[in-house]
Amino acid sequence: AQLLQTRRPGRYQFHDLLRLFGRQFAAERYPERDRLAAVTRLITFYTATAWRSLLLLRPGDHRLATADPRWTSGGQVFSDVTQVVEWTELERGNLLAAVAQAASATPAVPAELAGQLTRALSACFDRRGYWQDLRRASQVVLELALRGADRAGQAYAHSDLGFACRRLGRYRDAATHLEAALCLFRELDDLPGQAYSLGNLG
């Protein structure tokens, strides 16, 4: 009794003090590699769910071809777009935290995971007008990709940053990111990425 709180029907969370106790207990009882493995499983679940959401929201999106098979199986199943929108609303804060946590835990958490999650979430955030969220997550991913010399990761992060900035009316920033994305996509011989960048620049 009184260990869980509910802020809306069907959604539960631990009380802050219980969550803090659980974190301290886990740190004392389990080695760091086990804790990070659990975090990786959680972020993998979110990523697989996000790819499923993209498939429903934009079935022909070029990003779907970039989904890494390591992070597409499992996840929550949606029956329609309405469920995707509801999921985005309910999990938005957790999803943004997952991107940041994945990036900060690299290399224990695979570096590509943060980029995969952000790329898969782009349509969810766009549909709800959460362009600031997409911009923040993409900036985290870009910095991570730059550190790891991941050119494909840089290209997609620049592309999503450009898209988010365009939606926010920051056209100069949008053009800078989209031109950087276009240059990288040309180097990678990625034709869909080039087309998307040129379309947004237009």
Side-chain angles (χ1 to χ4, degrees), residues 159-173:
S159 179
D160 285 338
L161 274 165
F163 175 78
C165 288
R166 178 174 73 83
R167 290 290 209 194
L168 290 164
R170 299 173 58 167
Y171 301 118
R172 191 181 301 275
D173 292 338

Side-chain angles (χ1 to χ4, degrees), residues 5-202:
Q5 298 173 324
T6 179
R7 294 188 176 178
R8 66 180 80 192
R11 296 287 293 185
Y12 300 90
Q13 66 184 37
F14 288 116
H15 186 280
D16 288 346
L17 293 175
L18 189 62
R19 190 163 56 240
L20 178 62
F21 169 77
R23 181 174 293 168
Q24 291 172 342
F25 181 79
E28 293 168 5
R29 180 161 184 176
Y30 300 104
E32 185 180 26
R33 70 174 183 279
D34 291 349
R35 299 196 310 272
L36 288 170
V39 168
T40 302
R41 289 193 299 273
L42 174 63
I43 298 171
T44 298
F45 173 83
Y46 276 140
T47 304
T49 303
W51 282 123
R52 287 178 183 270
S53 73
L54 181 59
L55 189 59
L56 272 174
L57 291 173
R58 293 187 185 155
D61 195 294
H62 72 285
R63 291 175 182 82
L64 290 166
T66 72
D68 189 317
R70 291 177 292 172
W71 302 307
T72 55
S73 61
Q76 187 169 328
V77 177
F78 302 111
S79 60
D80 55 34
V81 170
T82 302
Q83 285 189 345
V84 172
V85 172
E86 289 173 355
W87 176 77
T88 304
E89 284 297 314
L90 292 171
E91 297 292 344
R92 178 180 163 206
N94 293 330
L95 292 165
L96 290 168
V99 171
Q101 191 165 19
S104 66
T106 299
V109 173
E112 305 90 349
L113 198 49
Q116 287 274 309
L117 177 55
T118 301
R119 199 178 311 161
L121 285 171
S122 59
C124 290
F125 286 162
D126 181 41
R127 188 176 188 94
R128 301 298 293 170
Y130 296 139
W131 304 306
Q132 284 286 8
D133 291 345
L134 178 59
R135 188 180 70 81
R136 280 193 292 269
S138 298
Q139 188 63 52
V140 168
V141 170
L142 177 59
E143 291 166 9
L144 183 62
L146 287 167
R147 286 200 308 269
D150 175 4
R151 298 187 74 68
Q154 293 171 39
Y156 280 99
H158 275 300
S159 179
D160 285 338
L161 274 165
F163 175 78
C165 288
R166 178 174 73 83
R167 290 290 209 194
L168 290 164
R170 299 173 58 167
Y171 301 118
R172 191 181 301 275
D173 292 338
T176 299
H177 285 296
L178 290 167
E179 285 165 1
L182 179 60
C183 182
L184 287 162
F185 282 133
R186 282 177 173 154
E187 290 176 15
L188 296 165
D189 199 27
D190 183 329
L191 292 177
Q194 292 175 49
Y196 183 80
S197 299
L198 287 166
N200 275 307
L201 280 165

